[in-house]
Amino acid sequence: MLKADKSDKKIVAIGGGHGLGRILSSLSNYGSQVTGIVTTTDNGGSTGRIRACQGGIAWGDMRNCINQLITEPSVGSMIFEYRFKGNGELDGHNLGNLMLTALDNLCIRPLEAINLIRDMLNVETQIIPMSEHPSDLAAFTHNGEIISGETSVDELQEIPKRLFLEPAVPATKEAIEAINDADLILLGPGSFLTSVMPVLLLRDLGLALKNCNAQIAFITNLDKEHGPAGKMSLESMLHWCERAMNGRKIDTIITDKPQPELAQRFNLQIEDLASNNHEWRHDRDKLKHAIDKLIASR
């Protein structure tokens, strides 16, 4: 059952990894009204090793989001979160990644595999992979090189000239439908180049964002990132998003700091967002309050 204080507004959050998981868990009281569209280009860690030998999309970011949405610990959730340790080939592998890969190998659609896991773990929030076709993040550098792979992009010493997906793949149809039906779309927080941007690089998804009737909000990180994204200004990040969305303007920026240089172009919603324990981590309750306020203002 959805909790009584839920809005009837439909919310779509776009990103990957810890940042998207944080947003989705903060909005868990909205239940199935919330959809996370998750990046599938990771090629590092357990996910990267599985992709190298089995192919397929990257499962790690989806698994991370599902983990953060588990509210009732169970044997099933313990199994899904289990990470192997030791000296053998299983060392470092997450069992959730292997379960999702096994379901995929049984010719079940990646989205259906995710829904089976969601049902098993009683997760109401919708989780949709950005694409059900494998693709890698790649970058053009300013000196003409092509760098392939999310981990390699993260290790660049300079901001790339632009990003692209290799190969170009279609968005999951349910992701497009969620955007078309959305009242509010959230970009970020999280790793800008490797979590937020890959989803926006899908051509049909970018067109859907351009033509949607939803309010689009960008949620800033609370600290500078490591890697090339840490050298980007907020204004540059917003420009990259708008370019990927075919010129669609971002309506609101939810941030913890005044941004006077952006005040004329964007609606700024300045909030205390930091966790009391870690200043670089968004507090779930504060995020929920900020997003509730944004919804109420519509």
Side-chain angles (χ1 to χ4, degrees):
M1 293 288 290
L2 297 182
K3 294 184 180 178
D5 65 343
K6 82 165 185 75
S7 164
D8 61 355
K9 301 295 186 183
K10 292 186 177 180
I11 304 170
V12 169
I14 290 173
H18 297 284
L20 179 60
R22 202 77 174 165
I23 284 287
L24 296 178
S25 62
S26 74
L27 297 175
S28 58
N29 69 298
Y30 285 87
S32 60
Q33 296 293 109
V34 176
T35 298
I37 301 178
V38 189
T39 186
T40 57
T41 54
D42 187 13
N43 68 330
S46 168
T47 294
R49 290 165 58 196
I50 292 171
R51 291 189 72 194
C53 66
Q54 293 282 326
I57 64 173
W59 292 107
D61 287 281
M62 278 168 287
R63 190 207 76 248
N64 194 317
C65 289
I66 292 171
N67 281 345
Q68 293 197 52
L69 285 162
I70 296 169
T71 56
E72 300 175 10
S74 63
V75 172
S77 67
M78 289 170 57
I79 291 171
F80 190 67
E81 296 177 56
Y82 181 77
R83 188 175 294 273
F84 291 93
K85 297 178 181 178
N87 298 319
E89 291 185 7
L90 285 176
D91 179 40
H93 272 306
N94 185 286
L95 186 52
N97 289 342
L98 296 174
M99 291 168 67
L100 287 162
T101 301
L103 289 169
D104 190 23
N105 288 347
L106 289 170
C107 299
I108 296 171
R109 276 186 69 194
L111 181 57
E112 292 175 358
I114 293 163
N115 289 339
L116 283 169
I117 296 294
R118 283 179 51 233
D119 289 345
M120 182 182 81
L121 300 176
N122 297 314
V123 170
E124 263 192 298
T125 303
Q126 314 266 5
I127 305 290
I128 300 176
M130 71 179 211
S131 179
E132 295 183 292
H133 301 270
S135 184
D136 283 300
L137 183 66
F140 282 119
T141 68
H142 287 274
N143 62 8
E145 285 185 277
I146 294 177
I147 304 298
S148 186
E150 192 173 291
T151 55
S152 298
V153 171
D154 241 350
E155 292 170 357
L156 287 171
Q157 298 302 305
E158 61 174 1
I159 302 166
K161 188 173 183 179
R162 78 177 175 92
L163 299 174
F164 62 100
L165 296 176
E166 187 179 46
V169 291
T172 305
K173 64 177 183 174
E174 287 83 356
I176 301 296
E177 291 168 1
I179 287 170
N180 291 339
D181 293 340
D183 297 289
L184 173 64
I185 295 170
L186 304 171
L187 307 178
S191 302
F192 178 72
L193 294 175
T194 56
S195 289
V196 178
M197 280 304 302
V199 184
L200 302 185
L201 294 173
L202 294 162
R203 185 175 182 277
D204 44 354
L205 194 141
L207 287 171
L209 287 166
K210 176 186 179 181
N211 296 317
C212 74
N213 295 317
Q215 179 179 194
I216 299 179
F218 185 93
I219 303 173
T220 65
N221 291 331
L222 302 180
D223 200 2
K224 285 280 188 185
E225 288 187 55
H226 298 293
K231 300 177 182 179
M232 297 179 73
S233 67
L234 176 55
E235 186 172 16
S236 178
M237 291 180 183
L238 298 171
H239 171 70
W240 277 51
C241 290
E242 292 179 340
R243 181 176 62 187
M245 295 188 296
N246 298 274
R248 168 63 193 264
K249 299 299 181 185
I250 290 169
D251 300 298
T252 300
I253 302 167
I254 299 176
T255 181
D256 64 322
K257 300 179 182 69
Q259 307 284 346
E261 73 282 4
L262 300 175
Q264 290 188 338
R265 287 191 57 216
F266 302 96
N267 172 41
L268 296 178
Q269 184 176 325
I270 301 171
E271 303 278 355
D272 172 19
L273 297 170
S275 164
N276 293 329
N277 298 325
H278 302 285
E279 293 183 354
W280 48 267
R281 177 182 291 167
H282 291 76
D283 179 86
R284 290 185 177 89
D285 290 334
K286 293 175 181 178
L287 271 173
K288 180 184 181 302
H289 173 76
I291 295 166
D292 285 345
K293 186 190 294 187
L294 184 58
I295 292 171
S297 70
R298 292 284 284 177

